[in-house]
Amino acid sequence: MLDKTWVRDNIAALEKALRDRGSKASIDEFRQPDDARRAALREVESLKARRNKVSDEIAALKKNRQDADALIGEMREVGDRIKGLDARVTEAETAVEAWLMGVPNVPHASVPVGRTSDDNVEVRRWGTPPRFDFEPVAHWDLGVRLGILDFERAARMSGARFTVLMGAGARLERALINFMLDLHTGQHGYTEVLPPLMVNAKAMTGTGQLPKFEEDLFKVEKAGYYLIPTAEVPLTNLHREEILDGARLPLSYTAWTPCFRSEAGSYGKDVRGLIRQHQFDKVELVRFARPWSPTRSSSS
């Protein structure tokens, strides 16, 4: 989430960045409640200073057995005004927070501006695409022929966007999971974690899934939990509400979990086979570390 002080100080740059990435977020939805909040806070501070001063005057009048009713009445009105302004501040802060939670990040200056994939720039290429002396078969056809993928039975028991892995397909999935976990725990120093597959709204908010991507989540309405869309959510929340000792960094975690996504809005595009499934397996990596800057060579 963008820092509101940064937004306030860089409003023009942010507005341009939002236009460049095609965002519909309106700067006015931040500026108007933010201005209202700051104005209300200034008035509250002024009224509270006035109340403190008058309170001393009232105490002095009472000590000298003089009439303080007029000042007491004025302070009641000031108190009511402060309550109203506090409510206005809370309302404005809620609006600002909601806007900040929904606004996208600012692209790096090096990112090219474009509207479609045709505007993408190829930065580098690794390897050589293979050439075949035969017509390659799509995985959704090949898997069915081999008897390792079954879309029809999955659809009968669950619906669209689910798959049953059979025989060698199931073993291959399990082998890939074990390979990735063993690689990162054995060679790269990651600690394996088996986290919950359901988390609360605070965890989802902490990693940015809520409120922006709520339509892509599966929610257990009765309990108020969400099925995780990626193990990144529980791994990132492992140290929620903790203050970490910098001497312990980096902390590296890896986890295999099933992942659940509704894929709202993606119907009709790139949905064949194992693409855009409601449930899939993934091995995730999360590292808590100090900010990192790449060391550039003199030739770069």
Side-chain angles (χ1 to χ4, degrees):
M1 187 174 73
L2 297 177
D3 178 73
K4 62 185 174 185
T5 302
W6 182 91
V7 172
R8 194 181 298 130
D9 294 341
N10 298 274
I11 202 83
L14 176 59
E15 189 167 26
K16 179 182 182 303
L18 293 176
R19 287 199 307 268
D20 286 346
R21 63 176 298 165
S23 172
K24 296 180 180 179
S26 171
I27 291 293
D28 287 339
E29 292 180 11
F30 168 84
R31 184 158 34 202
Q32 291 173 0
D34 187 55
D35 288 346
R37 168 187 165 277
R38 296 166 72 191
L41 283 174
R42 284 194 295 269
E43 187 175 352
V44 165
E45 291 172 0
S46 176
L47 289 173
K48 287 182 177 178
R50 168 68 176 159
R51 185 171 61 182
N52 291 338
K53 180 180 179 182
V54 172
S55 294
D56 293 337
E57 294 176 8
I58 291 173
L61 288 172
K62 287 184 175 181
K63 183 177 180 180
N64 295 323
R65 297 185 179 181
Q66 294 178 290
D67 184 14
D69 290 347
L71 289 178
I72 292 173
E74 178 188 344
M75 288 306 99
R76 287 199 186 100
E77 294 179 2
V78 167
D80 292 339
R81 177 62 178 166
I82 289 174
K83 288 181 182 178
L85 289 169
D86 284 342
R88 190 182 302 175
V89 168
T90 300
E91 180 182 356
E93 287 177 342
T94 300
V96 167
E97 186 80 4
W99 187 86
L100 290 171
M101 293 291 286
V103 73
N105 284 327
V106 176
H108 190 271
S110 65
V111 176
V113 176
R115 290 291 178 264
T116 70
S117 59
D118 294 333
D119 298 314
N120 290 340
V121 176
E122 184 176 291
V123 177
R124 63 182 178 271
R125 181 177 294 198
W126 182 87
T128 302
R131 294 179 179 272
F132 303 103
D133 57 2
F134 58 88
E135 185 68 25
V137 179
H139 76 271
W140 52 82
D141 292 325
L142 182 61
V144 172
R145 287 184 199 174
L146 295 174
I148 64 175
L149 297 180
D150 195 321
F151 300 104
E152 292 185 5
R153 287 187 173 90
R156 287 201 294 270
M157 71 175 77
S158 300
R161 301 197 182 194
F162 289 95
T163 306
V164 174
L165 298 178
M166 303 286 288
R171 290 197 301 276
L172 176 60
E173 182 94 349
R174 177 161 49 87
L176 288 172
I177 291 168
N178 286 335
F179 169 74
M180 294 303 296
L181 290 173
D182 291 345
L183 173 68
H184 292 295
T185 57
Q187 298 185 29
H188 302 304
Y190 281 77
T191 299
E192 184 177 349
V193 178
L194 188 60
L197 302 184
M198 295 187 292
V199 297
N200 57 35
K202 287 184 177 180
M204 285 290 191
T205 302
T207 51
Q209 273 74 26
L210 291 178
K212 194 187 306 185
F213 302 115
E214 184 163 14
E215 65 175 4
D216 285 324
L217 302 173
F218 285 110
K219 185 177 182 180
V220 183
E221 292 288 350
K222 184 175 180 180
Y225 294 128
Y226 291 87
L227 295 177
I228 62 169
T230 163
E232 173 190 338
V233 175
L235 288 182
T236 304
N237 279 277
L238 271 179
H239 295 291
R240 179 182 180 84
E241 299 178 10
E242 296 180 31
I243 298 176
L244 297 177
D245 181 357
R248 295 178 57 199
L249 300 179
L251 297 174
S252 304
Y253 299 110
T254 183
W256 157 75
T257 65
C259 304
F260 306 91
R261 299 182 186 180
S262 73
E263 293 291 353
S266 63
Y267 292 91
K269 59 180 182 180
D270 300 328
V271 296
R272 296 199 66 182
L274 299 177
I275 301 173
R276 297 188 181 277
Q277 296 275 281
H278 288 316
Q279 176 185 326
F280 58 93
D281 291 314
K282 186 169 69 158
V283 173
E284 184 69 76
L285 302 172
V286 168
R287 171 173 284 194
F288 295 85
R290 298 183 184 278
W292 176 82
S293 296
T295 301
R296 298 186 182 274
S297 66
S298 57
S299 62
S300 64

